[in-house]
Amino acid sequence: MTITAEPATTAGIDPVREPGKPVVVHTPAFTGMDEAVAWLTAQRAAIQAELHRSGAVLLRGVPVGDAAGFAQARDALIRQRAGYKEKATPRTDFGEGVFSSTDLPAIQPIRLHNENSYTLDFPGVLLFGCITAPREGGATTVGDMRQALRLLPPELVERFARAGWLLVRNYSELAGLPWYKTFATEDRSVAEVYCRDNTVGYEWLDDDSMRTRQRRSAIVTHPVTGERSWFNHFAFWNSRTLDADVREVLEETYGQDGLPFNTYLGDGSSLTDAEVDAVNAVYDQVTVRETWQSGDLMLVDNILCAHGRESYKGDRKVLVAMGEPVALADCAPQTAPSTTVFGE
């Protein structure tokens, strides 16, 4: 399904806009989650309108203290849950569609990306909730991908619009995730059916590992707002984005063709270091952040906004739920999904 349009009014909430930060809405003081859920339900249309305007909205003042309270807030704000497909990061599953935002090490920052941009349907909305705020850092960063598309070099945009982007994944026990965790099955035939049904090219390698290839559109149109957005994992998983020392070790260990993730222009060609740097510089330019406070919620429109995470110190518990699934076919992709490079 596509995201349902709401009346374009933010009456009932008072968004605060500050440079370098996502929009913040301060909620009334609540005596408990029942009262908070009633307010969130009543203000859902206004919050949704602001989400379509700004791409991300942080709600401050909701007394969310655990996964159960977070699920209550999710059900007030999100009408339909969305699954997490083709898993690419370790997460803790708390049940009822609630996960840890990521279990990657605290020292590792996570660059901006759009959730599941490589699948044929994906969450239209993400909800993050801070149960425990870290002592230092750890913000869930966000960036407007409409703005990113406007800032990218026009020549690069034209090349991606024509050919799309190509993702190549190698699944193993040693780096990244093994195929049976990504596809949630230990049956090769089940994984193969998924790949065929979802336009993912695949091959089995000698050591029971798997390699997949999928070409996707780099630019999509939001099915409600009608705005074009830069929507992909190209820079996020490109080997040139890695620290040079890390890339050297991975390439020495697995070879250029054996990296857990790598991306290319849709015609199979690689961008230069300068071109990848230009894309990452735009991500840096559009990134905004707000320090988490325990109980904060943040809604992110997954098409309009990319998200990431700062490194941090101290305990951090941030949950995520995914909802309002959207089909790629409903987003006017500029290149059709394929298992082959552009032109083949």
Side-chain angles (χ1 to χ4, degrees), residues 98-111:
V98 174
F99 301 89
S100 60
S101 58
T102 179
D103 292 340
L104 290 174
I107 197 172
Q108 181 177 339
I110 301 173
R111 287 183 168 271

Side-chain angles (χ1 to χ4, degrees), residues 192-212:
E192 291 172 355
V193 168
Y194 176 90
C195 289
R196 290 194 293 270
D197 289 347
N198 289 274
T199 320
V200 178
Y202 66 90
E203 61 179 309
W204 295 102
L205 306 179
D206 292 341
D207 56 355
D208 195 39
S209 59
M210 185 186 196
R211 178 178 297 145
T212 59

Side-chain angles (χ1 to χ4, degrees), residues 295-316:
D296 283 350
L297 298 173
M298 185 162 64
L299 276 168
V300 178
D301 186 300
N302 187 41
I303 299 173
L304 301 180
C305 241
H307 65 280
R309 187 202 70 183
E310 298 174 336
S311 60
Y312 64 93
K313 296 179 181 178
D315 293 336
R316 179 185 189 270

Side-chain angles (χ1 to χ4, degrees), residues 269-306:
S269 62
S270 297
L271 265 59
T272 65
D273 286 351
E275 289 169 330
V276 175
D277 287 346
V279 177
N280 281 320
V282 168
Y283 279 119
D284 292 342
Q285 189 173 346
V286 302
T287 296
V288 297
R289 53 97 59 205
E290 169 66 356
T291 299
W292 280 120
Q293 295 180 16
S294 295
D296 283 350
L297 298 173
M298 185 162 64
L299 276 168
V300 178
D301 186 300
N302 187 41
I303 299 173
L304 301 180
C305 241

Side-chain angles (χ1 to χ4, degrees), residues 15 59 87 92 119 125-126 130 148 150 155 169 174 238 240-241 255 261 265 299:
L59 303 171
K87 297 175 183 177
T92 301
T119 57
V125 173
L126 308 173
C130 180
R150 293 190 292 268
E155 183 270 339
R169 293 182 66 175
L174 301 178
N238 191 270
R240 295 174 187 268
T241 297
F261 303 94
L265 194 65
L299 276 168

Side-chain angles (χ1 to χ4, degrees), residues 112-114 142-154 156-157 218-219 228-232 235 278-287 303-306:
L112 293 184
H113 61 285
N114 303 89
V142 290
D144 190 324
M145 293 297 99
R146 297 163 293 187
Q147 183 184 5
L149 184 59
R150 293 190 292 268
L151 292 171
L152 285 165
L156 267 183
V157 171
I219 302 167
R228 292 200 318 155
S229 186
W230 179 252
F231 181 79
N232 56 77
V279 177
N280 281 320
V282 168
Y283 279 119
D284 292 342
Q285 189 173 346
V286 302
T287 296
I303 299 173
L304 301 180
C305 241

